[in-house]
């Protein structure tokens, strides 16, 4: 089997770009409306915030296309490689039992159910390891992905089914 690539939607990047642009415009309007009533410090701080918001917005919106060329997930005969932040790296099919579909707060999630989850968690350090441990403490698989970040999440789930992975529904999380 050749590599299959699953790309990120990056709708969140677009939304964040638009929101920071709006924040920049609002700070610009505040600066204009205040006129001479602002102190030099307040005016300088507002200008810095305005430039920051507008520059960040522009950067996010312009880099969106270049970021889409990289796959979020690569699937091949040996396993899957997850590049989405946080990037979990390679997970071999010998360690994957299946996927769990659930909702966590308002987000539809895909949890990767591992045979040796403890060993997988121990291979990480720092904040990434704490994130994996926290997912487990809350009753979810350690490795989880938000469905909206994958452009065709159903195709990803179907590809994992073809590789023999089971599909579970989480009892408290509803059907993701």
């Amino acid at each position: 089997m050749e590599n299959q690539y699953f790309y990120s939607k990056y709708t969140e990047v677009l939304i964040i770009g638009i929101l920071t642009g709006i924040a920049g415009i609002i700070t610009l309007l505040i600066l204009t409306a205040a006129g001479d009533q602002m102190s030099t410090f307040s005016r300088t701080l507002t200008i810095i915030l305005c430039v920051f918001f507008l520059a960040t917005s522009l950067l996010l919106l312009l880099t969106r296309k270049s970021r889409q060329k990289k796959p979020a997930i690569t699937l091949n005969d040996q396993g899957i490689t997850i590049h989405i932040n946080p990037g979990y790296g390679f997970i071999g099919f010998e360690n994957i039992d299946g996927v769990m579909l659930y909702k966590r707060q308002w987000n539809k999630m895909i949890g990767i159910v591992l045979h040796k989850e403890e060993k997988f968690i121990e291979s990480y350090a720092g904040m990434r390891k704490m994130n994996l441990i926290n997912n487990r403490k809350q009753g979810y698989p350690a490795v989880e992905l938000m469905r909206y970040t994958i452009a065709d999440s159903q195709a990803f789930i179907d590809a994992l089914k073809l590789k023999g992975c089971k599909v579970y529904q989480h009892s408290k999380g509803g059907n993701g």
Side-chain angles (χ1 to χ4, degrees), residues 6-144:
F6 297 92
Y7 293 90
S8 294
K9 276 188 184 175
Y10 286 105
T11 51
E12 69 275 10
V13 174
L14 181 63
I15 291 169
I16 291 169
I18 290 169
L19 291 176
T20 53
I22 291 170
I25 291 168
I26 289 171
T27 54
L28 187 62
L29 291 173
I30 290 171
L31 184 65
T32 306
D36 293 334
Q37 298 172 358
M38 293 178 84
S39 69
T40 306
F41 175 75
S42 297
R43 182 176 296 279
T44 305
L45 185 62
T46 306
I47 290 171
I48 290 171
L49 280 174
C50 180
V51 170
F52 171 76
F53 285 136
L54 292 174
T56 303
S57 173
L58 206 58
L59 183 67
L60 288 170
L61 294 173
L62 291 177
T63 60
R64 181 176 168 264
K65 286 288 184 195
S66 63
R67 292 180 67 193
Q68 269 184 316
K69 294 177 186 171
K70 297 179 184 176
I73 299 170
T74 306
L75 185 137
N76 59 30
D77 284 331
Q78 291 76 39
I80 60 174
T81 304
I82 302 172
H83 311 283
I84 297 174
N85 194 16
Y88 296 109
F90 178 78
I91 305 172
F93 279 121
E94 70 278 355
N95 194 23
I96 299 174
D97 179 46
V99 292
M100 183 178 291
L101 307 177
Y102 55 96
K103 287 183 183 172
R104 192 165 180 179
Q105 295 156 349
W106 297 280
N107 296 314
K108 289 184 177 183
M109 307 296 286
I110 301 172
I112 309 294
V113 181
L114 303 175
H115 292 295
K116 300 173 185 170
E117 202 166 51
E118 291 298 325
K119 186 176 178 183
F120 183 81
I121 292 170
E122 290 304 315
S123 69
Y124 288 90
M127 289 303 294
R128 192 171 290 167
K129 183 176 183 176
M130 290 304 301
N131 186 32
L132 296 170
I133 291 170
N134 286 334
N135 291 344
R136 284 284 306 272
K137 283 182 181 177
Q138 294 175 23
Y140 299 104
V143 177
E144 59 181 17

